[in-house]
């Protein structure tokens, strides 16, 4: 059997992409805030229901700039979750800030807001939450804590394109949010990402930081970076915007199939999206409980033996990385839930064109 991957990139009709590429060739403007870039940025504001959106060449650079734009004191601490992709804590360190890992909630697997306060010191400047697999953090409680201690809030929303909480676009929470448009994401621009925020003053700052800190031809105002999205990526995004909802509808059916078969299996827990949250359909995680006959790793091996490339997202946790694990100022509290979940979670193949035969095979393996 051919290898079955966790996902497949959403790709528009090839001829459509060729046609828009021809348009770009004709303009001779292939990067640096071109026409397609500006159009995508504009349309995304509506799509994500936010007042400001700034495009980037990838989500990681966007997160670097998000932290930079918050003007946090050098060396100050950012409370975050270790149950995430490497880019989250690495972006903190690249900003000369210190990540401090907080435990997670067992159900949403997002940062446990009830455990944040005990980690706050006079040196804490921000909270960086991750809406992991599209499950929103406890945004209300995090907002209360941030107000009480005067902290900035940054969200890594890499997994939740189009997610809404009670009809509000998830990119409206906190001071600033980052979305990833990597090829593996529901909505992709090949590589790409964006920042969303409501503070008008941030717009110019982010524009400059994304472009080396250049204010004008003769003035470089601050230490920026090259975070610009090119025209071909923007064109891919404009085309994918037309088809991502269709992909979501297909994934909804895949989810229903999985839910139906897997929820009947003893020892398999399927984390449930809260009723007031719209699912982005980015990942399909399952949790292997104690009463399942084999361990997560054994199940993983069985899938791999069948050429089905499930993923242990997020194992290892970031708190296990060599660069973080021995620093007691970073890992300074017990991470019991993280250390339990990281050994139980498994993400199953999830894309619209998964055939019924494959879905059946995947479920049979778990059964
Ligand atoms: C939670 C999380 N944060 C950040 C990133 C980084 O985004 P990018 O790959 O667009 O740089 C990813 C994945 O790619 C991610 O899963």
């Amino acid at each position: 059997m051919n290898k079955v991957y966790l996902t497949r990139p959403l790709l528009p009709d090839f001829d459509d992409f060729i046609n828009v590429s021809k348009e770009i060739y004709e303009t001779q403007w292939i990067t640096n805030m071109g026409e397609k870039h500006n159009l995508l940025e504009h349309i995304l504001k509506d799509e994500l229901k936010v007042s400001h959106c700034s495009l980037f060449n990838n989500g990681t650079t966007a997160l670097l700039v998000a932290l930079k734009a918050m003007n946090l004191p050098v060396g100050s601490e950012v409370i975050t979750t270790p149950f995430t992709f490497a880019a989250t804590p690495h972006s903190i360190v690249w900003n000369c800030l210190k990540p401090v890992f907080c435990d997670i909630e067992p159900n949403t697997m997002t940062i446990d807001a009830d455990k944040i306060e005990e980690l706050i010191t006079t040196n804490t400047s921000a909270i960086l939450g991750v809406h992991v697999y599209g499950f929103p953090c406890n945004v209300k409680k995090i907002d209360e804590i941030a107000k009480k201690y005067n902290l900035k809030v940054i969200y890594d929303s890499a997994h939740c394109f189009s997610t809404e909480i009670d009809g509000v676009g998830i990119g409206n929470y906190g001071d600033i949010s980052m979305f990833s448009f990597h090829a593996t994401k529901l909505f992709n621009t090949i590589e790409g990402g964006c920042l969303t925020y409501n503070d008008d003053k941030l717009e110019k700052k982010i524009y400059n930081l994304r472009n080396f800190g250049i204010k004008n031809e003769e003035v470089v105002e601050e230490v920026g970076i090259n975070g610009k999205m090119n025209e071909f990526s923007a064109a891919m995004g404009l085309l994918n915007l037309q088809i991502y909802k269709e992909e979501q509808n297909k994934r909804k059916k895949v989810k229903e199939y999985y839910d139906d078969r897997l929820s009947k299996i003893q020892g398999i827990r399927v984390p449930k999206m809260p009723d007031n949250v719209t699912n982005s359909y980015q990942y399909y995680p399952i949790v292997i409980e104690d009463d399942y006959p084999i361990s997560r790793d054994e199940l993983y091996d069985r899938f791999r033996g069948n050429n089905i490339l499930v993923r242990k997202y997020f194992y290892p946790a970031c708190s296990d990385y060599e660069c973080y694990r021995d620093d007691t100022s970073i890992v300074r509290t017990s991470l019991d839930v993280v250390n339990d979940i990281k050994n139980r979670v498994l993400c199953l193949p999830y894309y619209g064109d998964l055939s019924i035969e494959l879905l059946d095979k995947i479920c049979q393996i778990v059964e």
Side-chain angles (χ1 to χ4, degrees), residues 154-300:
I154 302 110
Y155 283 115
D156 180 332
S157 310
H159 299 173
C160 34
F161 188 80
S162 86
T163 294
E164 292 174 13
I165 308 175
D166 289 320
V168 176
I170 199 158
N172 288 287
Y173 293 95
D175 292 284
I176 192 160
S177 296
M178 178 279 283
F179 293 82
S180 164
F181 305 152
H182 182 254
T184 53
K185 300 297 185 284
L186 166 81
F187 167 78
N188 83 81
T189 57
I190 310 173
E191 292 268 5
C194 77
L195 292 178
T196 63
Y197 43 93
N198 287 317
D199 181 355
D200 297 343
K201 289 194 290 297
L202 279 176
E203 188 167 30
K204 189 90 190 88
K205 183 163 186 74
I206 289 170
Y207 190 96
N208 287 350
L209 281 173
R210 183 180 63 183
N211 189 30
F212 313 96
I214 296 174
K215 187 179 176 196
N216 59 45
E217 274 186 40
E218 297 189 4
V219 182
V220 178
E221 225 168 22
E222 51 192 328
V223 185
I225 200 167
N226 181 358
K228 294 172 274 109
M229 178 181 280
N230 70 69
E231 285 293 270
F232 295 94
S233 282
M236 177 66 87
L238 286 167
L239 291 171
N240 275 341
L241 269 186
Q242 296 169 20
I243 56 172
Y244 87 89
K245 285 195 176 125
E246 192 186 324
E247 170 68 12
Q248 277 183 317
N249 287 334
K250 289 186 187 170
R251 289 190 190 191
K252 184 166 181 275
K253 294 208 170 75
V254 170
K255 177 173 162 38
E256 283 162 4
Y257 186 98
Y258 274 148
D259 283 354
D260 187 49
R261 291 268 298 262
L262 302 177
S263 59
K264 293 184 183 120
I265 304 173
Q266 187 158 1
I268 296 295
R269 178 163 69 86
V270 180
K272 194 176 170 305
M273 196 58 78
D275 289 337
N276 63 338
V277 177
T278 54
N279 197 331
S280 161
Y281 301 101
Q282 173 62 55
Y283 286 112
Y284 192 93
I286 58 170
V287 179
I288 288 64
E289 305 281 26
D290 283 340
D291 51 347
Y292 188 71
I294 58 174
S295 69
R296 187 277 310 273
D297 288 349
E298 286 170 285
L299 182 58
Y300 171 89

Side-chain angles (χ1 to χ4, degrees), residues 105-174:
E105 292 177 9
N107 289 321
T108 62
M109 296 172 272
T110 60
I111 191 165
D112 188 339
D114 290 332
K115 294 183 182 161
I116 291 177
E117 276 191 271
E118 65 200 59
L119 291 169
I120 295 176
T121 69
T122 48
N123 201 19
T124 307
S125 59
I127 301 168
L128 201 180
V130 180
H131 306 304
V132 72
Y133 313 127
F135 291 98
C137 296
N138 187 344
V139 289
K140 196 162 164 274
K141 179 89 201 251
I142 291 173
D143 185 50
E144 281 165 18
I145 297 171
K147 287 205 171 87
K148 185 168 162 192
Y149 294 93
N150 194 23
L151 305 175
K152 297 287 184 196
V153 178
I154 302 110
Y155 283 115
D156 180 332
S157 310
H159 299 173
C160 34
F161 188 80
S162 86
T163 294
E164 292 174 13
I165 308 175
D166 289 320
V168 176
I170 199 158
N172 288 287
Y173 293 95

